[in-house]
Amino acid sequence: DMQTVAEQALAGERGAVVAIDPRSGQILVLASAPSFDANIFSGKMDAHEWEKVATDRQKPLSNRAISSKYPPGSTFKLFLAVAGLASGKISPATEVNCPGYYMFAGRPYRCHKRSGHGMVNLQKAITVSCNAYFYQLGQTLQIGGIEKYVGMFGFGVPTGLDIPGEDPGILPSDSWKREVHGEKWYPGDTMPVAIGQGYMNVTPIQMANGMA
């Protein structure tokens, strides 16, 4: 029933829905849209039908729930918060002043609230999704700390789901950047990662699994 509801909600849209029981890890919903009629693969396939599906710009053959990766955005801040607590870099009471930006390397990195949030502790930073707090936390952890603790939630590797085509996503690091881009990691690279953007990419199944 849950799968049906998810597929109906995705009708006419592009996206994915994943639901996991955090008590067992059981996948309750794995839906991707747009999809296609699997009956075309039964028996003799019509060439026109195959071409129509294979060349569709909406990419119905791609299972977005496991094969498409996206910047997690502010949902990533929860994992950065755990990294800060687990590493001892912050406590729940640690406060940061948000004037609407965080200055780094001579330039302001903006918070979504231009006027700023004022003094925020961890709970408020999560509640109001304060970029300035997490920019600073990201610089405190550095990319090595982010990679270490966030990696424990299963990012950067396939979940092991028994369905072909799962993308591992990207959990960036100095070694990853050297291998992929041929250059070292710069402190400025950490700024967008700290708020779930930049090089950081996850699949919907990874995000649901990490939250669970």
Side-chain angles (χ1 to χ4, degrees), residues 65-175:
I66 66 170
S67 302
S68 295
K69 53 182 178 283
Y70 311 92
S74 291
T75 58
F76 185 70
K77 293 172 181 175
L78 292 173
F79 299 99
L80 202 71
V82 173
L85 293 169
S87 64
K89 299 293 186 181
I90 60 170
S91 75
T94 300
E95 288 189 322
V96 168
N97 180 45
C98 170
Y101 58 87
Y102 173 68
M103 289 297 298
F104 179 76
R107 60 160 287 191
Y109 286 80
R110 297 290 177 184
C111 191
H112 64 88
K113 186 178 181 181
R114 288 283 178 169
S115 60
H117 294 106
M119 296 301 295
V120 293
N121 59 16
L122 181 58
Q123 181 177 346
K124 184 174 180 181
I126 292 173
T127 302
V128 300
S129 194
C130 178
N131 287 351
Y133 188 100
F134 290 98
Y135 281 140
Q136 182 162 316
L137 177 55
Q139 286 302 319
T140 301
L141 287 164
Q142 301 184 346
I143 195 61
I146 295 174
E147 178 194 14
K148 175 183 177 180
Y149 290 99
V150 172
M152 293 179 182
F153 288 95
F155 295 112
V157 294
T159 63
L161 181 69
D162 191 21
I163 297 178
E166 185 177 3
D167 193 289
I170 299 173
L171 176 59
S173 64
D174 179 67
S175 59

Side-chain angles (χ1 to χ4, degrees), residues 32-49:
S32 176
S35 77
F36 59 94
D37 183 3
N39 289 322
I40 65 172
F41 293 104
S42 64
K44 187 176 181 180
M45 184 182 296
D46 182 275
H48 175 70
E49 286 185 323

Side-chain angles (χ1 to χ4, degrees), residues 18 20 25-27 29-30 63 65-67 157-166 205-206:
V18 180
I20 292 179
Q26 180 184 12
I27 297 174
V29 175
L30 192 72
N63 186 337
I66 66 170
S67 302
V157 294
T159 63
L161 181 69
D162 191 21
I163 297 178
E166 185 177 3
I205 185 71
Q206 284 179 323

Side-chain angles (χ1 to χ4, degrees), residues 152-210:
M152 293 179 182
F153 288 95
F155 295 112
V157 294
T159 63
L161 181 69
D162 191 21
I163 297 178
E166 185 177 3
D167 193 289
I170 299 173
L171 176 59
S173 64
D174 179 67
S175 59
W176 171 86
K177 191 181 179 192
R178 289 179 187 274
E179 180 180 345
V180 175
H181 294 282
E183 60 181 25
K184 69 177 183 179
W185 189 270
Y186 295 98
D189 294 330
T190 308
M191 299 299 286
V193 172
I195 58 169
Q197 298 178 12
Y199 294 122
M200 186 70 199
N201 274 268
V202 305
T203 61
I205 185 71
Q206 284 179 323
M207 179 55 71
N209 189 56

